[in-house]
Amino acid sequence: MRTSLPKNSALAVAAVAALALSLTACNGDDDASSSASAGAATATSAVSGGSDQSTSPTAGSGSAGSSAAADSGSGSGAKEGSGDGSGSGSGEGTGHGGITSDAECAVASMRLSLSEAGSSYTEMLQATNTGSAECTLTAAPTITYPEAPAALPTEGKGPQYPIRLAPGASAYSAIALDTENNAASHREKQLFIAQIGQDGHVTLDTPGVGLLLGDKSSVTYWWDTSAKAMTDGEG
């Protein structure tokens, strides 16, 4: 005996069957999606690995750049050192035909003269640089005369700097004469002018009947003006 299902029951069975088919399809899609995601992840990992490997040459490139920079810095330093040496050589080099401004004046080659210094008891010695280069005079001249037992003593404190003489410039030293004619005094018609530490001397003829020298006679240090030589730099 055939039993017929109610119409509503048949519809329900059909709906359940359709739902089962739909779920089966969805599961298939999810599996495919998972496989695809796994594949993508693997591919991404491989790419990332390749990127990590590529950083090694980059690091090497940076090291090379640092080395080049270091080389460049070393080159620059060497250049600066060379420049300093050259500048120093130029600044410290000789001038005026090979003579520096610190060269000592050779008294034996200077023009020397005597003149009255505004007092009958003082004679002024003048030394003029006749060379083509600047030179310096220090200390005092050494003054003797024929048969002198010793050089005239030096008086005063003198300048605290060397006397620099440009070509044509002069230095001065005052000679104090004896103030009275007595047994210890004598007149000299010649003076021998020299400089400590230098060979040779210059012979000067004194004016008139000669200079009166004695126990009170002395000589000052070299000065750059006759006024300073008269006052030992005072005033």
Side-chain angles (χ1 to χ4, degrees):
M1 180 169 146
R2 181 176 297 177
T3 303
S4 59
L5 294 175
K7 184 178 183 179
N8 290 338
S9 297
L11 291 175
V13 171
V16 169
L19 179 59
L21 291 174
S22 174
L23 288 175
T24 300
C26 287
N27 287 337
D29 291 341
D30 289 341
D31 292 340
S33 175
S34 296
S35 298
S37 297
T42 302
T44 301
S45 177
V47 172
S48 176
S51 175
D52 290 341
Q53 293 175 358
S54 68
T55 58
S56 178
T58 302
S61 175
S63 175
S66 298
S67 176
D71 291 342
S72 176
S74 174
S76 176
K79 185 176 182 180
E80 290 176 1
S82 174
D84 290 342
S86 176
S88 176
S90 177
E92 299 287 336
T94 58
H96 301 294
I99 302 177
T100 67
S101 60
D102 290 329
E104 188 175 9
C105 301
V107 172
S109 62
M110 301 179 77
R111 184 173 68 248
L112 304 181
S113 60
L114 291 170
S115 60
E116 189 174 307
S119 168
S120 58
Y121 303 113
T122 305
E123 196 77 6
M124 188 64 66
L125 171 64
Q126 178 178 353
T128 303
N129 179 12
T130 58
S132 60
E134 183 182 85
C135 61
T136 61
L137 275 177
T138 57
T142 300
I143 300 180
T144 58
Y145 47 87
E147 300 181 5
L152 296 182
T154 302
E155 294 291 336
K157 64 183 188 311
Q160 303 302 307
Y161 52 87
I163 304 301
R164 295 182 178 275
L165 299 179
S170 297
Y172 302 84
S173 175
I175 302 171
L177 306 178
D178 208 338
T179 56
E180 56 185 17
N181 195 352
N182 53 43
S185 62
H186 47 89
R187 289 192 177 274
E188 297 296 334
K189 293 186 176 182
Q190 282 187 332
L191 295 180
F192 302 144
I193 314 298
Q195 184 74 9
I196 295 176
Q198 297 183 10
D199 295 329
H201 66 270
V202 176
T203 300
L204 281 181
D205 294 328
T206 61
V209 296
L211 300 179
L212 186 64
L213 302 177
D215 293 342
K216 297 180 181 179
S217 299
S218 63
V219 61
T220 68
Y221 289 87
W222 290 112
W223 287 92
D224 49 2
T225 67
S226 58
K228 290 179 181 178
M230 287 289 292
T231 62
D232 195 34
E234 301 294 333

